[in-house]
Amino acid sequence: MSVPLYQAKAELFRTLGHPVRIRVLELLQDGPKPVRDLLAAIDVEASNLSQQLAVLRRAGMVTSRREGPLVMYALSTPDVADLLAAGRRILGAVLTDRDALLDELRSAGTQR
């Protein structure tokens, strides 16, 4: 039995629901990186990074390949970077709306 599309989408977004995973995806937007570079850029234990990379691999969001002694990670598709960019745009719009509402509340409080 196949999974409904809405359920598959929900699983995709659950995969994105961890700050380390988001940071890994952001770092990989510039191209493939070895684990050691990811570890240097993210303040987590190696075991935690390994767990998060495994989650991203299982979800199909990243790929890995061995180059000599290094394990290189890359985004599985440019669409992952597009999704992150859309998230930034949405967050920017939401925060802008909140700032406008906050400004309106502040000015309404001074008009009393």
Side-chain angles (χ1 to χ4, degrees), residues 7-17 59 61 83:
Q7 191 171 344
K9 287 180 183 178
E11 188 58 37
L12 171 72
F13 285 108
R14 271 193 292 276
T15 299
L16 295 174
M61 299 188 85
L83 180 59

Side-chain angles (χ1 to χ4, degrees), residues 46-91:
S47 60
N48 187 355
L49 180 59
S50 179
Q51 287 176 327
Q52 303 311 325
L53 287 168
V55 170
L56 291 169
R57 264 194 331 270
R58 281 193 302 273
M61 299 188 85
V62 300
T63 59
S64 64
R65 71 179 187 285
R66 187 166 287 283
E67 288 186 7
L70 302 176
V71 178
M72 301 292 291
Y73 280 86
L75 296 180
S76 61
T77 172
D79 292 332
V80 174
D82 294 343
L83 180 59
L84 292 173
R88 281 190 300 276
R89 287 191 306 273
I90 292 166
L91 188 55

